[in-house]
Amino acid sequence: MNSEKAAEVKVTIRTDLSLLLECLKFQMKCPDLQKQALLTIHSICERREDNVDLLREMGGVSFVYNLSKSSVVRSDVKETALFTLGTLAEANVYCKNYLCRKETFADLAGLLLKEDVPLTQKRVSVYLLSVLVANNSKIKDELKLQECLSYLFNSIHFCRTTSPLSTESTLRAANATQTFQLWASVSSALCGCVNNPQNEEGQRICVAAFVIIKVWLQQIVLLRPEIFQPICSFIAMTVANNCNVQESFSASGCLDTLALVLVRLASVADTSLMSCQLSVTISKTLSACMTENLYFNNLFFYGVVSHLFTLLVSPHLDPEDRLSVLLTLGHCTEASGKTHEEW
């Protein structure tokens, strides 16, 4: 595309974005039109840093942000605004830095603490935060990390108080699914705070979540597998290559609990595909817990290694997962100094 043509395209895009902003500003009584305008902005700016720059120059980013927290617009418009902000932040580092401020985190935390805010809106707000922390060295080098994690821990407590593992009939299926999705988003954001690259301060702060994680591991049932993978991802990221955090994980009782869950699931892995898949997930998580710390007498006591051998011969085991189970076996035996016969 030559420079003249590129300039024409830029003018066209600027005009389109300007008209869309006018629609957002002057169609406050037409929420469906506002949603459509926001989704069109999303489409124009997705993965287009230059287009986000145009929107930012005309005050569009700040307007969408203000719209997301407005008290006079419909909740689904707020959700769409938050989603659009996530798109803008993903595409443009200047937009991301603009949003990475105390006010933003406080506003997002306020959304979570309000009981009348829909779960979908809470989930999108966590998605926005996960975008802000992803690959963002600035946020990890400042006190903003503490603010991010404080907000996310509020999310964890919210998930806990809404009983994501409850089997009571009062928890409607649709609501339960949304709660699982919220936790998955929270887990993703937490992982972004402690990893990519590894952040030891974030890992240290996340130790506070182990008490809740232990409860969830104890309550996990096959009827609620959706929450299990995010839990294990969070554990693996938090303890990886950090002996002090691994020690805290063991001291909290989470290592014992994780081992017991593995034993329970692996014992029926030959007859249950889901049990086999969850067992593989746990074995990968245990592997992440193993560096130079010597907390593996517990694993010996619970018979983890023998159950890993049982898992290896399960007809449901995916060939691609066999290597990860073997690696966990190797870590267990190496850490303990025992032979196969002794196990």
Side-chain angles (χ1 to χ4, degrees), residues 165 209-220 231 235 249-258 261:
L165 298 175
F210 288 163
V211 174
I212 300 172
I213 297 300
K214 178 183 176 182
V215 173
W216 284 3
L217 287 173
Q218 291 170 333
Q219 295 177 348
I220 198 72
I231 288 177
I235 292 171
F249 185 73
S250 178
S252 69
C254 284
L255 184 63
D256 288 357
T257 303
L258 196 63
V261 175

Side-chain angles (χ1 to χ4, degrees), residues 9 15 50 52 134 142-143 145 164 267 325:
V9 171
T15 301
D50 52 343
V52 180
E142 299 178 2
L143 293 177
L145 175 64
S267 64
V325 177

Side-chain angles (χ1 to χ4, degrees), residues 116-137:
D116 59 342
V117 174
L119 276 174
T120 51
Q121 190 174 339
K122 296 177 188 288
R123 185 188 175 198
V124 176
S125 69
V126 175
Y127 155 72
L128 172 57
L129 185 58
S130 70
V131 171
L132 297 181
V133 302
N135 300 311
N136 192 341
S137 58

Side-chain angles (χ1 to χ4, degrees), residues 4-103:
E4 184 176 339
K5 182 65 174 178
E8 290 178 1
V9 171
K10 184 175 180 179
V11 170
T12 300
I13 292 174
R14 183 189 293 274
T15 301
D16 290 344
L17 289 173
S18 178
L19 291 172
L20 289 166
L21 281 177
E22 291 297 307
C23 178
L24 288 177
K25 293 174 181 178
F26 297 107
Q27 297 294 335
M28 298 299 287
K29 294 183 179 180
C30 299
D32 290 337
L33 286 178
Q34 286 185 307
K35 283 181 60 179
Q36 188 57 53
L38 286 166
L39 291 174
T40 305
I41 291 173
H42 156 80
S43 298
I44 293 174
C45 294
E46 187 176 19
R47 300 187 182 90
R48 290 299 303 271
E49 183 176 12
D50 52 343
N51 292 348
V52 180
D53 280 334
L54 292 175
L55 184 68
R56 190 167 56 86
E57 289 169 4
M58 60 182 72
V61 175
S62 59
F63 183 83
V64 173
Y65 170 68
N66 289 330
L67 192 67
S68 74
K69 61 178 186 174
S70 171
S71 60
V72 298
V73 300
R74 216 166 60 183
S75 63
D76 55 343
V77 176
K78 294 182 183 180
E79 291 173 21
T80 310
L82 288 167
F83 173 71
T84 303
L85 287 171
T87 300
L88 301 177
E90 274 190 304
N92 188 291
V93 66
Y94 297 107
C95 177
K96 177 184 287 192
N97 290 339
Y98 167 77
L99 292 171
C100 285
R101 52 186 180 174
K102 187 173 183 178
E103 180 187 355

